[in-house]
Amino acid sequence: MAGLSVGKAINRLEGRAKVTGAAKYAGEYNVPDLLYGYVVNSRITKGKIRSIDTTKAKAFDGVVEVFTHENRPKLAWLKLKYKDIDAPSGSALKPLHDAEIKFSGQPIALVVAKDYETARYAATLVSVQYEAEPFETCLETNLDKARDQKNAPKPTGHFEKAYEKSPVKVSAEYLHSTEHHNPIELFATTTIYEGEGKLTIYDKTQWTINNQVYVANVFGLHFKDVRVLAPFVGGAFGSGLRPQYQLFLCVLAALHLKRNVRVTLDRHQMFPFSHRPPTYQKTRFSANNDGKITAMNHIAVSETSEYEDKIEEVVSWSHRLYPAPNTLFQHKLAPLNVHTPLDMRAPGASTAMHAIECTMDALAYKLNMDPLDFRLINYSENDPAEDKPFTSKELKQCYEKAAEKFGWRNRNPVPGSMQHGNKLIGYGMATGIWDAEQYPSRVEAILNKEGRLEIHNATTDIGTGTFTVMTQIAADELGLLPEDVIFSYGDSKNPFSASQGGSSTTASTGVAVVMAVKALKAKLLKKARAISNSRLKKLEDDEISFADGNIILKTDDAPLISFREIIAANKGKEIKTTNLGKPHFLKLRKYSKATHSAAFVEVEIDRDLKTINVTRAVTAVAAGKIINPKTARSQILGAMVWSISKALREETILDENLGKYMNPNLGEYHIPVHADIHDLEVIFADEKDEVINELGVKGVGEIGMIAMPAAITNAIFHATGRRINKLPIHFDALM
């Protein structure tokens, strides 16, 4: 009997297409009469273009046009607000708008040629004279210039008095370096000029509708004349939430030349715009002798650009986990001559929880208390910050299951006491928390002429398993096998979807799928009952069900009528409905919504060389119902690998004298290789949430990355007795 796929570890439905190369990405579509664009980037960090000479480039054989701020077409942004939906406050970057340079690597020209290699070479022939101006790009030397933000939680109690009087207190400063997105797929756009101002655009994006709105607004086009497709996305995790500059340049060239155009960015061209902001943090936590936290202070200073204020939620997390009567939080932004930072997996939370959980670890040691026991003493079933119950919270189960699996209670608590040959062994643990969001989403459900179910929605799949999970949800709702469901996605012409970001897609689009299929079932019943001599006329709704392409009698699974018969009675026409899924705003106002996790880590550190190796890690996650344990586990495993990278590898080196990133390539921007990854285990807590949404689901994209960097850092302390508060931690810090 069909309808039992939710909860099963089903393989990715698009997996074969991806591993065989059949899946096409934004820069791979075979398009006739295609031109290629290559971007010229600024070589200074701040200033103005005094002159830009494109004569040699234009004269080179095969070059069609070179666009600069001096000859670009007029654009709708001159009169209209053109921000994309995800833009922060401020004035968004306008490529080729004028001669002003705002950051190193800013796009200043586009060379369009008959082939890629010609465009790339001709770009070197563009001669630019600059008027450089003084700039500031280093966060650490500009902390005093940071301005207060209003997103910090309001203070409670009297922090300074309580902290001063507390018998046990810890203060520390933390810094994490700049990290850059490096998805496997380069940012690329292929624009097909359909004539009469109509465009079909294949783009690397997490939000087709956002890019559709952006292009229409910038170029003064009708929204329905712009179609954005992204059926396959080779990784993104925040870097594709906003339209990137290759989209603008590609569309500009296609409209002006009335030709099909493709623009693909090199790896180094992606570095200027695609980063997690470096952040300085200071914490002061205190507790009484029984281990109860009495006061918490968290200050964060983050980088932003001079033209937009990109604010992440950094200082709000500690009070959502741990009760404290006295709190003081402050968040500041330092505007620098850099591109606006972008969301990167678990934005704000992975930054914050490193500082929070390392401070908690230090406080536990000062209390001579097991770090896990210390957290359990300060455990709260409710959200202390809002004084509201969580829709569900199984963090304690995460602690218990992960600690038992890891063997936490076997550790010798004394730092430096555990050894294996020439290796120092360290155990560390930490807690994770992330919002469980849901956004409105609209889905069209169709029972087609063959009796199969079609689902249409504009969401994307950046490799998280969305295609598979949505198919499972739809199949179960109509009692079908997954192979009888066709899920159409990654297309802006489909009904509205919010971005694939914030771990919200399954809750948002998944709930909309449920609502649409429920409405479709009601339509099918109505049409079936209208058929003469229908047995369904005498049956109530609760006496029947849907299974294997039939409406059946619940008591004995006897088929009453098939979907094909209903279609035949409908004169062979498909039956469809479009419905909105949305959060239950009024009901959810009474609750706090979050996913939780616990991470336990073992590190080995070479006594002489100080090299650090994560040998074991266990992450337990409480995220409501898990639709597909296999794809969900893969997401958590990927997050754990990225956590190792964040804690020990990833760092973009900025030369503050040049205002440039010095390692914009995968040779010098270090990420883990296979030999760096060892025994990683994922546990899902049994968490039933009957409040949060119709599916009882929460996202798993971010939560797996939030606890582990701190757990790794705490394990390094346990192994060595040294606290290193700057990420990433390289071996030289332990010398």
Side-chain angles (χ1 to χ4, degrees):
M1 179 176 168
L4 300 172
S5 65
V6 166
K8 286 188 176 180
I10 293 175
N11 291 338
R12 294 173 184 270
L13 299 179
E14 82 286 8
R16 179 175 293 274
K18 287 181 173 178
V19 300
T20 60
K24 296 292 185 184
Y25 294 85
E28 295 182 329
Y29 287 90
N30 297 320
V31 177
D33 193 29
L34 184 64
L35 299 177
Y36 294 81
Y38 191 85
V39 179
V40 180
N41 301 91
S42 166
R43 293 181 178 273
I44 67 167
T45 302
K46 184 180 180 182
K48 292 181 176 60
I49 298 173
R50 287 171 49 194
S51 67
I52 182 164
D53 186 353
T54 62
T55 306
K56 288 184 179 180
K58 284 184 177 181
F60 192 78
D61 185 39
V63 172
V64 176
E65 183 59 276
V66 180
F67 294 95
T68 72
H69 70 282
E70 295 179 342
N71 71 336
R72 62 154 175 80
K74 289 185 178 180
L75 298 163
W77 73 33
L78 299 175
K79 295 181 180 179
L80 302 173
K81 290 184 178 179
Y82 89 110
K83 282 187 177 184
D84 65 274
I85 303 171
D86 199 47
S89 61
S91 178
L93 177 71
K94 299 177 179 179
L96 308 191
H97 181 244
D98 52 31
E100 185 179 356
I101 302 298
K102 300 176 183 291
F103 58 90
S104 176
Q106 177 178 318
I108 59 172
L110 178 72
V111 179
V112 181
K114 293 180 179 179
D115 61 79
Y116 176 79
E117 293 299 337
T118 297
R120 183 168 68 168
Y121 175 73
T124 67
L125 303 179
V126 177
S127 178
V128 187
Q129 299 297 318
Y130 300 97
E131 182 180 322
E133 298 175 7
F135 55 82
E136 294 292 345
T137 55
C138 180
L139 176 66
E140 291 179 78
T141 57
N142 285 278
L143 295 174
D144 58 333
K145 297 179 182 178
R147 52 178 184 256
D148 281 327
Q149 301 303 301
K150 297 179 180 180
N151 67 319
K154 293 180 180 179
T156 61
H158 302 280
F159 170 79
E160 296 295 350
K161 290 182 180 178
Y163 182 78
E164 189 61 33
K165 291 181 180 179
S166 294
V168 186
K169 54 178 79 76
V170 166
S171 65
E173 295 179 75
Y174 299 86
L175 182 71
H176 84 70
S177 301
T178 306
E179 300 170 48
H180 272 80
H181 288 96
N182 273 291
I184 295 175
E185 181 195 9
L186 299 172
F187 272 88
T189 303
T190 301
T191 301
I192 302 171
Y193 183 76
E194 307 281 10
E196 302 298 325
K198 294 183 179 181
L199 303 173
T200 299
I201 303 169
Y202 292 95
D203 192 54
K204 178 184 174 66
T205 179
Q206 293 171 247
W207 198 356
T208 58
I209 287 177
N210 189 22
N211 286 16
Q212 177 195 35
V213 169
Y214 170 84
V215 168
N217 278 339
V218 169
F219 295 98
L221 304 175
H222 194 285
F223 296 109
K224 291 184 179 179
D225 290 339
V226 180
R227 183 183 180 189
V228 178
L229 297 105
F232 296 102
V233 182
F237 287 96
S239 61
L241 289 175
R242 298 187 66 183
Q244 300 304 348
Y245 66 74
Q246 93 287 339
L247 171 65
F248 167 86
L249 295 172
C250 188
V251 172
L252 179 143
L255 285 172
H256 183 74
L257 299 172
K258 294 181 171 55
R259 295 277 299 275
N260 303 331
V261 180
R262 174 174 296 155
V263 177
T264 302
L265 300 183
D266 287 346
R267 179 68 58 182
H268 79 273
Q269 289 175 322
M270 289 164 50
F271 269 78
F273 67 75
S274 188
H275 71 286
R276 189 194 301 273
T279 302
Y280 163 86
Q281 298 177 81
K282 182 175 181 179
T283 58
R284 291 184 293 165
F285 287 12
S286 63
N288 61 27
N289 289 322
D290 294 328
K292 283 283 188 179
I293 297 173
T294 56
M296 293 189 299
N297 171 222
H298 190 176
I299 299 170
V301 184
S302 302
E303 167 191 284
T304 191
S305 68
E306 286 198 326
Y307 52 92
E308 287 179 313
D309 280 354
K310 172 59 181 173
I311 307 172
E312 296 184 341
E313 289 294 327
V314 177
V315 299
S316 61
W317 299 101
S318 58
H319 204 203
R320 292 189 64 190
L321 276 172
Y322 307 117
N326 306 282
T327 64
L328 180 62
F329 305 110
Q330 188 177 24
H331 193 179
K332 297 182 178 183
L333 282 183
L336 301 173
N337 299 116
V338 297
H339 189 285
T340 307
L342 291 176
D343 288 331
M344 184 183 279
R345 198 172 194 174
S350 65
T351 299
M353 293 307 292
H354 168 244
I356 293 165
E357 288 300 283
C358 288
T359 304
M360 288 290 290
D361 196 70
L363 197 53
Y365 272 94
K366 205 159 189 179
L367 285 158
N368 197 27
M369 189 175 290
D370 184 290
L372 175 55
D373 292 338
F374 178 48
R375 285 163 176 80
L376 290 172
I377 286 172
N378 289 283
Y379 191 88
S380 175
E381 292 293 348
N382 292 344
D383 182 338
E386 298 187 11
D387 193 25
K388 294 178 182 179
F390 287 98
T391 59
S392 60
K393 183 181 180 182
E394 290 293 343
L395 175 58
K396 191 172 289 186
Q397 187 186 151
C398 290
Y399 285 144
E400 292 168 354
K401 287 186 173 181
E404 181 180 3
K405 187 69 179 179
F406 181 81
W408 175 258
R409 297 300 183 184
N410 298 328
R411 80 192 250 283
N412 185 329
V414 179
S417 61
M418 296 173 62
Q419 302 175 30
H420 182 262
N422 197 44
K423 309 288 187 183
L424 299 171
I425 308 298
Y427 285 3
M429 61 84 57
T431 309
I433 181 172
W434 181 253
D435 288 318
E437 295 291 0
Q438 178 190 351
Y439 301 104
S441 185
R442 193 176 295 276
V443 162
E444 181 183 51
I446 301 171
L447 186 68
N448 67 23
K449 296 175 183 179
E450 290 76 38
R452 300 180 73 194
L453 175 63
E454 295 182 22
I455 299 293
H456 298 263
N457 180 260
T459 191
T460 57
D461 186 339
I462 62 173
T464 54
T466 301
F467 177 31
T468 306
V469 166
M470 296 304 157
T471 301
Q472 289 178 261
I473 293 169
D476 266 28
E477 192 60 40
L478 198 56
L480 296 173
L481 294 169
E483 49 262 40
D484 290 322
V485 176
I486 302 166
F487 180 52
S488 172
Y489 66 103
D491 188 341
S492 65
K493 79 170 185 179
N494 285 341
F496 176 83
S497 170
S499 68
Q500 181 165 59
S503 298
S504 63
T505 302
T506 303
S508 303
T509 302
V511 166
V513 169
V514 170
M515 304 309 291
V517 178
K518 283 184 183 298
L520 181 64
K521 289 194 291 187
K523 267 195 170 184
L524 293 175
L525 271 175
K526 185 177 180 180
K527 290 185 179 293
R529 284 177 172 141
I531 299 172
S532 60
N533 300 320
S534 172
R535 293 175 59 191
L536 289 164
K537 292 179 179 179
K538 298 179 180 180
L539 296 172
E540 299 295 329
D541 287 1
D542 60 2
E543 296 181 271
I544 60 177
S545 185
F546 294 75
D548 300 317
N550 302 290
I551 299 177
I552 65 170
L553 191 64
K554 277 185 179 179
T555 53
D556 59 6
D557 293 342
L560 300 171
I561 189 171
S562 71
F563 294 169
R564 287 177 179 270
E565 289 175 296
I566 298 172
I567 290 292
N570 197 47
K571 299 179 181 179
K573 297 178 182 178
E574 62 186 20
I575 301 168
K576 61 183 178 181
T577 182
T578 302
N579 294 85
L580 181 71
K582 61 181 180 180
H584 300 289
F585 294 107
L586 289 178
K587 180 174 73 172
L588 290 173
R589 285 173 60 184
K590 301 175 183 178
Y591 297 91
S592 186
K593 313 182 299 295
T595 54
H596 297 89
S597 68
F600 292 78
V601 170
E602 177 188 83
V603 298
E604 283 186 356
I605 301 175
D606 188 282
R607 183 186 294 277
D608 301 315
L609 301 177
K610 308 302 182 186
T611 50
I612 307 165
N613 198 14
V614 175
T615 47
R616 288 193 301 129
V618 178
T619 293
V621 173
K625 180 190 290 184
I626 303 301
I627 303 296
N628 186 325
K630 188 170 188 177
T631 56
R633 178 178 178 271
S634 292
Q635 284 216 61
I636 303 302
L637 284 175
M640 294 171 76
V641 172
W642 201 341
S643 295
I644 294 170
S645 193
K646 178 179 175 66
L648 304 176
R649 300 285 189 276
E650 290 193 48
E651 179 179 20
T652 321
I653 308 298
L654 177 77
D655 186 320
E656 60 182 287
N657 296 312
L658 299 175
K660 297 180 180 180
Y661 301 116
M662 304 308 292
N663 56 328
N665 56 76
L666 290 183
E668 296 169 298
Y669 183 85
H670 296 157
I671 57 177
V673 297
H674 288 171
D676 296 318
I677 306 304
H678 301 284
D679 184 10
L680 304 181
E681 186 150 353
V682 178
I683 298 170
F684 288 110
D686 181 16
E687 183 174 67
K688 295 180 180 179
D689 196 323
E690 298 178 352
V691 176
I692 196 160
N693 54 54
E694 283 79 356
L695 282 167
V697 300
K698 305 174 184 179
V700 296
E702 264 90 1
I703 188 63
M705 189 173 174
I706 295 170
M708 247 188 80
I712 293 170
T713 308
N714 292 336
I716 290 171
F717 167 76
H718 180 235
T720 64
R722 296 188 61 184
R723 291 212 178 267
I724 312 297
N725 293 344
K726 181 182 183 298
L727 293 186
I729 301 173
H730 298 311
F731 68 92
D732 59 313
L734 294 172
M735 288 291 184

